Amino acid sequence: LSIRRQRQMCIRDRDEAQRSVFCMYELDGFTAPEIADVLEIPVASVYVQVKTARRRFRGALDAKGLP
């Protein structure tokens, strides 16, 4: 599999809420306040979910030996 495909699989493996926040923030360029508004959650929760998703995504990439 290509590196891109393997990265996509790592994102897909996250739970729905975490994946949504991560993709909106990292891939779609939404700000934390915008995400909070769309998902109707506190801004602090967005930051926590992004941080957690980044850590788990990085761990999944490291486990697969991906950059």
Side-chain angles (χ1 to χ4, degrees):
L1 293 172
S2 71
I3 290 175
R4 180 181 178 158
R5 181 71 180 128
Q6 290 180 55
R7 286 181 177 172
Q8 290 171 339
M9 290 171 63
C10 289
I11 293 171
R12 190 186 65 216
D13 290 343
R14 305 285 64 95
D15 65 61
E16 178 65 30
Q18 202 173 73
R19 182 175 55 245
S20 295
V21 171
F22 181 80
C23 289
M24 289 175 78
Y25 192 83
E26 294 290 344
L27 305 177
D28 299 330
F30 283 84
T31 65
E34 290 170 334
I35 296 168
D37 188 49
V38 169
L39 299 179
E40 299 179 346
I41 61 175
V43 174
S45 294
V46 173
Y47 286 118
V48 168
Q49 289 184 29
V50 167
K51 182 178 179 179
T52 301
R54 282 179 177 162
R55 188 176 63 245
R56 290 183 178 167
F57 182 62
R58 180 76 257 160
L61 291 178
D62 289 346
K64 294 179 183 283
L66 297 172

